[in-house]
Amino acid sequence: MDIKVKGDFITLGQFLKLTDFISTGGEAKFAVKELRITVNGEAENRRGRKLRRNDNVVIEGKEFHLI
């Protein structure tokens, strides 16, 4: 699924909320520890990770491409 990024980047925590994996920003801290998340093929657990255009994110087997 393609996700359009406004601005230069979006944090992983914001991305989780945007994709409805969490409902509030406060849940991000726990979600990154519990969900299986990879960014460009590498495991990721930092909610502040900056995601940019052309990054590929997989959350619990669901794939996203940032455009």
Side-chain angles (χ1 to χ4, degrees):
M1 171 181 284
D2 288 342
I3 302 288
K4 186 169 177 133
V5 177
K6 295 178 184 176
D8 292 333
F9 66 88
I10 185 172
T11 66
L12 180 55
Q14 293 168 327
F15 186 77
L16 289 170
K17 188 173 175 188
L18 176 70
T19 55
D20 293 326
F21 278 93
I22 60 174
S23 56
T24 67
E27 295 175 19
K29 181 177 181 178
F30 304 104
V32 294
K33 303 293 184 199
E34 294 179 15
L35 298 172
R36 289 184 328 241
I37 302 170
T38 61
V39 177
N40 300 325
E42 296 183 18
E44 186 58 68
N45 65 359
R46 297 173 293 164
R47 67 179 179 209
R49 164 73 188 257
K50 293 179 180 174
L51 305 174
R52 302 178 192 287
R53 287 180 187 87
N54 297 318
D55 279 346
N56 290 303
V57 182
V58 179
I59 304 170
E60 293 292 318
K62 190 166 183 183
E63 297 184 35
F64 301 93
H65 179 75
L66 281 69
I67 58 173

